[in-house]
Amino acid sequence: MAKGKNILFIMFDQLRWDYLSCYGHPHLHAPNIDRLAADGVRFDRAYIQSPICGSSRMSTYTGRYVHSHGASWNGIPLKVGEITMGDHLRNASMDCWLVGETHMRADAEGMERLGLEPDSLIGARVAECGFDVYERDDGMLPEGPDGFYDPDGAQEYNKHLAAKGYESDNPWHDFANSGLDEDGNVLFGWFLKNSTEAANIAEKDSETPYLTGRGIEFMDTHDGPWCCHLSFIKPHWPYIVPEPYASIYGPEHVLPVVRSDTERQNAHPVLKAFMNTKVGQTFSRQDVRDAVIPAYMGLIKQADDQMGRLFDWMGKTGRMEDTMIVLTSDHGDFLGDHWMGEKTFFQDASTKVPLIIYDASPEADGTRGTVSDALVESIDLAPTFVDVAGGEIAGHILEGHSLLPILHGQLNETPRHAVICEYDYSASPIADMLNASVRDAVMFMAANKRWKLIHCEGGHRSILFDLGNSADHAGIVATMYDHLFVWTRRQSQRTTRSEQQLIEMRSKSRGRGIVVGVYDENDAPLDLTVKYRGRTARPYTDLINKD
């Protein structure tokens, strides 16, 4: 493999780490993803930086914590000045393309202020999170009384379905994500009772096969070096899948729920609020889990089959020999565990994600099929990609660490002592439930290999997983807070000067005429004061006009 030739960066949305057979699921066999793990490195402790799509992805794409980039919830724009994966890679002579979802919202006000036109090359990249766009498809095209959730969602996909004969003003909704009863009524996938239905679409026309095909088309038509972000919306809700996948799994394949009555009765007030949401209450019912989880598993099984299609094509065309493949997720899904649905808290069901990296280069031969126990964060991917491209990692901007030393067997650990995750729920109804101000509606997680601490603003007590708060754990709580405080004190906003530039600046001003604290010119080095020596001048009274 020519170093830095290509990177295929695959991300699924809402894929739980423990719903893959290589991570131990007993029923959901995913042989193609297993094959990737057998040829690469599977990371067992990979964590996201925020348990919600938008902010998690912005951390991945910028290589920076949420606290640094500021896009802390879905729909909050990424600041126009943030440097992204695409910017770093283009500096290293590698293109960076998008095929699929980003959840990016452009900073339209910032672009207007700076005169960046959205249809210009620079403006388009700024508006698309630094990517050149082959096809953006965020999916998610429901329509409510106030209009579409995302008017730009699934545009090309809907055109594709319409051209194939799916008659509807929104075939994404009416066919790809809904079933059909015997009277022709659309059974919307939004209603979880319909998760047991098969989506009313030919399997080959559904979202995951469609996007896989678009990824193959990109690779078939672009010379490297490139990074292609192939980003799938599934297995994110609506939880509905076409046949044959709708019939593969049933309630007998649903694993026992992970929760206890004590956990709920003694819940921290913030955690209790998340449990008491509508989605939390709904997924606390076993009939809901029995309806939804088989469909969720079917979506993952379909995704694995499409990975087989993709990897087979790459093998036949030589792409497996010159392309690094990275497979991960933006977060997980509680699915009723810990009395919650969705993903917006800090248990491993949400914050821990699958991460498998296949490096075709000979340097990675010694680690193939291994499992890494290193503490890894999603922000490590951007510096890894820059490293693969042969570029210089901008450590004053990128806050993660390259994983190449682990992939090449040079290191077993990253330099970090704890992983960090943040969640800003100030725009969520949960803030109203807790009567929390915008400033207080935020929480942080610091976790190492044994303990996980959660700090909630607003005067709440901390949570030490598993919900321990006795005096016996005071020392551990203090240690974990130390990790959190070290992270909080890091220098992360100074992105316009590198560390090397700062080191050079320590003495540079002295060579530009600044002499501070020197009593006698002979106390200063001659080379620094040469411009001040041997100079003569006449009295000003001889030079200016006198009144």
Side-chain angles (χ1 to χ4, degrees):
M1 174 181 177
K3 184 177 181 183
K5 176 64 174 173
N6 302 309
I7 301 168
L8 179 60
F9 173 28
I10 302 169
M11 179 178 280
F12 294 97
D13 196 323
Q14 208 147 315
L15 172 61
R16 268 180 66 149
W17 65 277
D18 54 350
Y19 270 67
L20 294 174
S21 45
C22 63
Y23 281 94
H25 199 286
H27 306 305
L28 210 170
H29 301 296
N32 298 296
I33 295 176
D34 288 355
R35 182 188 2 155
L36 190 71
D39 290 336
V41 176
R42 173 167 62 84
F43 290 85
D44 255 7
R45 297 183 187 273
Y47 287 86
I48 56 172
Q49 272 50 78
S50 185
I52 193 169
C53 303
S55 51
S56 174
R57 289 170 178 268
M58 295 310 103
S59 284
T60 303
Y61 301 153
T62 62
R64 291 164 59 73
Y65 292 105
V66 178
H67 227 56
S68 298
H69 63 67
S72 59
W73 211 63
N74 288 349
I76 295 180
L78 184 69
K79 296 191 297 290
V80 72
E82 283 295 325
I83 300 172
T84 65
M85 182 185 294
D87 300 312
H88 292 289
L89 290 178
R90 280 187 289 272
N91 285 340
S93 301
M94 177 179 279
D95 293 336
C96 192
W97 288 85
L98 169 68
V99 183
E101 176 192 12
T102 63
H103 238 84
M104 158 73 171
R105 287 293 174 269
D107 181 4
E109 291 183 6
M111 292 178 66
E112 183 179 2
R113 186 177 70 252
L114 297 176
L116 293 175
E117 296 295 335
D119 57 354
S120 67
L121 177 62
I122 296 175
R125 285 172 174 169
V126 168
E128 294 290 354
C129 214
F131 294 104
D132 290 321
V133 176
Y134 187 72
E135 179 170 337
R136 177 167 173 176
D137 181 7
D138 279 12
M140 304 314 300
L141 193 58
E143 185 178 9
D146 296 331
F148 287 102
Y149 172 77
D150 181 2
D152 297 325
Q155 284 191 345
E156 295 303 316
Y157 180 57
N158 261 349
K159 292 177 185 176
H160 171 77
L161 292 182
K164 292 181 77 69
Y166 291 90
E167 295 180 358
S168 168
D169 60 353
N170 187 356
W172 172 89
H173 193 284
D174 293 344
F175 292 96
N177 287 281
S178 292
L180 194 72
D181 70 12
E182 57 187 17
D183 296 321
N185 297 306
V186 173
L187 303 175
F188 299 119
W190 297 112
F191 304 117
L192 299 179
K193 68 178 183 180
N194 293 329
S195 295
T196 58
E197 302 290 332
N200 183 32
I201 191 169
E203 190 273 330
K204 64 183 177 62
D205 296 331
S206 58
E207 289 173 278
T208 301
Y210 168 77
L211 203 63
T212 302
R214 295 294 281 155
I216 290 173
E217 290 171 17
F218 169 85
M219 289 188 286
D220 196 32
T221 55
H222 286 72
D223 295 326
W226 44 252
C227 174
C228 173
H229 182 33
L230 181 56
S231 183
F232 295 91
I233 184 65
K234 295 301 184 182
H236 191 284
W237 40 258
Y239 305 103
I240 191 167
V241 65
E243 293 290 8
Y245 301 99
S247 299
I248 294 177
Y249 305 104
E252 68 274 16
H253 300 112
V254 175
L255 299 181
V257 68
V258 180
R259 66 188 183 211
S260 69
D261 290 335
T262 301
E263 178 183 19
R264 184 165 194 164
Q265 293 164 2
N266 298 330
H268 184 283
V270 176
L271 176 54
K272 187 78 167 182
F274 281 83
M275 292 176 173
N276 287 339
T277 60
K278 180 65 174 178
V279 69
Q281 293 175 356
T282 300
F283 272 93
S284 293
R285 293 166 42 186
Q286 189 59 39
D287 63 324
V288 172
R289 298 182 74 249
D290 286 345
V292 168
I293 293 179
Y296 180 76
M297 294 171 66
L299 289 166
I300 297 171
K301 182 65 174 176
Q302 182 189 38
D304 182 73
D305 284 348
Q306 290 301 310
M307 292 301 96
R309 171 190 172 199
L310 177 66
F311 300 154
D312 288 347
W313 180 89
M314 293 179 71
K316 292 175 183 177
T317 57
R319 288 281 77 87
M320 291 297 287
E321 283 72 50
D322 64 8
T323 303
M324 170 180 277
I325 303 175
V326 177
L327 187 148
T328 191
S329 175
D330 59 352
H331 52 73
D333 191 327
F334 279 108
L335 298 171
D337 284 353
H338 308 292
W339 305 99
M340 286 183 284
E342 277 288 84
K343 58 264 185 176
T344 51
F345 212 77
F346 292 135
Q347 285 92 339
D348 279 1
S350 175
T351 58
K352 183 176 171 179
V353 292
L355 176 61
I356 300 167
I357 301 181
Y358 160 77
D359 183 353
S361 66
E363 292 85 350
D365 286 348
T367 62
R368 300 196 189 284
T370 62
V371 178
S372 172
D373 191 47
L375 288 173
V376 170
E377 295 178 320
S378 294
I379 58 172
D380 294 337
L381 294 181
T384 301
F385 296 170
V386 174
D387 207 359
V388 169
E392 182 176 346
I393 297 171
H396 61 300
I397 301 171
L398 295 168
E399 297 189 87
H401 307 284
S402 172
L403 300 178
L404 269 194
I406 294 177
L407 296 173
H408 293 173
Q410 299 163 353
L411 293 175
N412 294 321
E413 299 285 350
T414 60
R416 64 176 54 90
H417 300 291
V419 293
I420 302 294
C421 195
E422 309 167 61
Y423 185 54
D424 174 356
Y425 59 94
S426 59
S428 163
I430 295 171
D432 280 339
M433 294 169 60
L434 292 167
N435 194 29
S437 69
V438 168
R439 292 288 185 184
D440 285 345
V442 64
M443 51 190 180
F444 304 87
M445 178 197 90
N448 58 24
K449 293 183 180 181
R450 183 171 179 181
W451 303 102
K452 181 183 291 186
L453 176 83
I454 295 174
H455 170 80
C456 302
E457 283 294 290
H460 297 287
R461 63 178 173 86
S462 60
I463 307 172
L464 182 67
F465 270 65
D466 289 329
L467 302 182
N469 63 340
S470 70
D472 295 340
H473 297 105
I476 296 167
V477 169
T479 298
M480 298 307 295
Y481 263 115
D482 285 344
H483 289 312
L484 187 59
F485 292 153
V486 167
W487 169 80
T488 304
R489 295 194 302 268
R490 78 199 185 287
Q491 175 62 266
S492 61
Q493 297 303 314
R494 184 254 308 132
T495 59
T496 55
R497 289 290 183 270
S498 68
E499 292 185 8
Q500 183 59 39
Q501 287 173 317
L502 290 177
I503 292 171
E504 293 172 357
M505 287 170 64
R506 294 174 184 178
S507 58
K508 187 172 291 186
S509 63
R510 298 178 64 202
R512 294 180 176 174
I514 299 295
V515 181
V516 178
V518 177
Y519 177 71
D520 187 288
E521 61 265 31
N522 294 313
D523 294 338
L526 176 62
D527 61 329
L528 294 180
T529 59
V530 65
K531 295 291 186 177
Y532 298 143
R533 296 173 184 268
R535 299 177 66 88
T536 62
R538 293 171 58 188
Y540 79 91
T541 53
D542 294 345
L543 301 174
I544 63 175
N545 294 325
K546 296 180 180 179
D547 293 335

